[in-house]
Amino acid sequence: MSASSTRRPSYAAVLSVPRARRTFAAALVGRLSYGVAPLAVMLAVTRTTGSYAVAGVVMALFGATVVVLAPYRAALVDRHGPRRALIPMSLLHSGLLCALAAVSWRPGASAVVLGALAAVAGACAPPLGPTMRSVWGELVGDRRLLQRAYSLDGVAEELLYVSGPLLVGAVIGVASAAVGVLLGALLMAVGTLVFVSSPAVALVRPAGRPESREGGGGSLRGRGLAQPVVVAAGMGLALSAVDLLVVAFAAEHGRGDETVAWVLAALSAGSAVGGLLNGAVDWRVTARVRLPLLAAGLGVTLGLAGLAPGVGVLAIAAACAGFFVAPALTTAYLIADEAAPEGFRTQAGTWVNTAVNAGSSTGAATAGLLVERLPSAVCFVVAGSVALVAAGVAGLRGLAPAAPAGAGQAG
């Protein structure tokens, strides 16, 4: 590994690791597609069919295949290596997005064709985020520096999901929504091809078939990953409800939908600040101890957010809640990396991703039912309680086994 343990553990030190900047920048270009393509696809489908219901079904198919098949795509990356796995995934995913853009270019497209293209495109989505974290694990030897690398990665990803929709908005202001879908395809193809051409990616060695390695695949299903997966799922459930709860809160207080964006922006800003500070702190407690505390902090602040007297105070409360988001996810990825056997890092990180996304999908549907029956303040308490329950479960002694002999501390 190329990072020395004596290197000053700072963000500058992370970016000064040989080949890190080029590799990270290319991965971010590809990952920007994740912030661009979903919204562009939804708008393109809505405009070509004239139906919000069809758009909802198409996006549900797209999201379902992205989430459910993510661990299997990650297993292909670990088994065959990033270059052999990511290039065909990227080209298939980008090609299918181009086909979807072509079909949706004019009104009257078939809903069945759109749904099929979206589902298959989602099934091929390359796991660039988990693969980049695997690359960080190979590039950075010092665990404190790896914490900063993961924090930087998490904050950058947060910003991508903010800037992606803004980019789509700029595109559809001058062109068809289908052009936004093409942009998502281009970002994915170019970013992935440049990413896999980096010598740093070659450091992630193929693991071969799981059954050929003693304890390989089975270890990923063991107790070591339970803690980060439980917390990630709980956070996904809680946070996915926030979007709808903010809309309901604004309506209850006589404010328009334009105020919702400011509250959600405050949540993202708080997450970015929290992520950067988390990476800068030289923690003296282990990651397995920090993780349930961070999840509990999110739960408490979300529960208190519902007591806000107005939207302005709610925005401040959202920023405070966001302060725990990126640190908790970064810590979950660190634990997953520590728990993964050599050659299975991509799968381990993907299970955390999958837990967040699966929790988000479930939470969004549940929040819709709750908002229709309960005041928004009570719903905020329910959302916070989900994160608190996840924190309590993750804090159980049985879900936090000692690190294997020879494993470094996660923070």
Side-chain angles (χ1 to χ4, degrees):
M1 298 185 185
S2 55
S4 169
S5 61
T6 60
R7 186 185 296 274
R8 180 175 177 267
S10 66
Y11 291 114
V14 170
L15 294 176
S16 68
V17 172
R19 301 182 295 273
R21 279 177 289 189
R22 170 195 164 180
T23 311
F24 187 39
L28 291 180
V29 170
R31 291 158 74 180
L32 180 57
S33 176
Y34 298 140
V36 169
L39 178 58
V41 168
M42 183 182 69
L43 293 173
V45 172
T46 301
R47 292 184 180 184
T48 188
T49 63
S51 170
Y52 291 109
V54 170
V57 171
V58 169
M59 293 312 299
L61 290 170
F62 181 80
T65 53
V66 168
V67 173
V68 173
L69 298 179
Y72 299 96
R73 295 192 299 270
L76 291 175
V77 174
D78 280 332
R79 180 181 299 183
H80 301 292
R83 289 180 176 174
R84 292 180 62 190
L86 290 180
I87 291 176
M89 283 186 206
S90 172
L91 294 179
L92 282 170
H93 179 73
S94 299
L96 287 162
L97 286 180
C98 290
L100 201 154
V103 171
S104 63
W105 201 276
R106 298 181 183 278
S110 166
V112 174
V113 173
L114 291 169
L117 287 172
V120 181
C124 300
L128 291 181
T131 305
M132 183 63 226
R133 283 184 282 272
S134 295
V135 173
W136 281 127
E138 298 294 338
L139 283 175
V140 179
D142 185 270
R143 297 298 295 182
R144 296 172 301 164
L145 197 59
L146 183 61
Q147 174 186 313
R148 281 145 183 82
Y150 277 14
S151 294
L152 181 64
D153 190 282
V155 170
E157 187 169 71
E158 185 84 33
L159 295 177
L160 291 180
Y161 283 103
V162 173
S163 57
L166 295 177
L167 186 56
V168 172
V171 169
I172 64 175
V174 296
S176 165
V179 175
V181 181
L182 291 176
L183 176 61
L186 179 65
L187 288 168
M188 178 59 71
V190 172
T192 303
L193 291 175
V194 176
F195 174 64
V196 298
S197 70
S198 169
V201 176
L203 297 174
V204 181
R205 303 290 186 183
R209 295 186 64 83
E211 56 266 31
S212 68
R213 294 171 56 90
E214 182 180 356
S219 296
L220 286 178
R221 294 186 291 271
R223 295 160 69 87
L225 275 180
Q227 189 194 40
V229 166
V230 165
V231 170
M235 289 180 60
L237 279 163
L239 291 172
S240 65
V242 171
D243 291 10
L244 189 57
L245 295 184
V246 172
V247 173
F249 184 96
E252 289 178 7
H253 289 76
R255 304 297 294 272
D257 290 343
E258 68 277 1
T259 62
V260 174
W262 290 103
V263 177
L264 298 180
L267 180 70
S268 295
S271 179
V273 172
L276 290 173
L277 291 178
N278 173 71
V281 173
D282 191 8
W283 295 101
R284 297 186 180 277
V285 295
T286 65
R288 288 193 180 276
V289 173
R290 297 199 306 271
L291 184 58
L293 295 177
L294 291 167
L298 173 65
V300 170
T301 50
L302 280 181
L304 294 176
L307 302 177
V311 173
V313 177
L314 179 64
I316 296 173
C320 293
F323 191 79
F324 296 97
V325 174
L329 290 177
T330 297
T331 306
Y333 286 126
L334 282 167
I335 296 172
D337 178 81
E338 188 178 64
E342 186 65 28
F344 291 85
R345 279 174 162 162
T346 308
Q347 293 176 68
T350 300
W351 275 111
V352 177
N353 261 356
T354 300
V356 174
N357 293 330
S360 295
S361 299
T362 305
T366 304
L369 297 174
L370 291 177
V371 166
E372 292 181 350
R373 294 167 173 78
L374 299 172
S376 62
V378 176
C379 293
F380 271 104
V381 172
V382 173
S385 298
V386 171
L388 284 172
V389 169
V393 173
L396 293 176
R397 186 182 300 273
L399 290 180
Q409 292 296 319

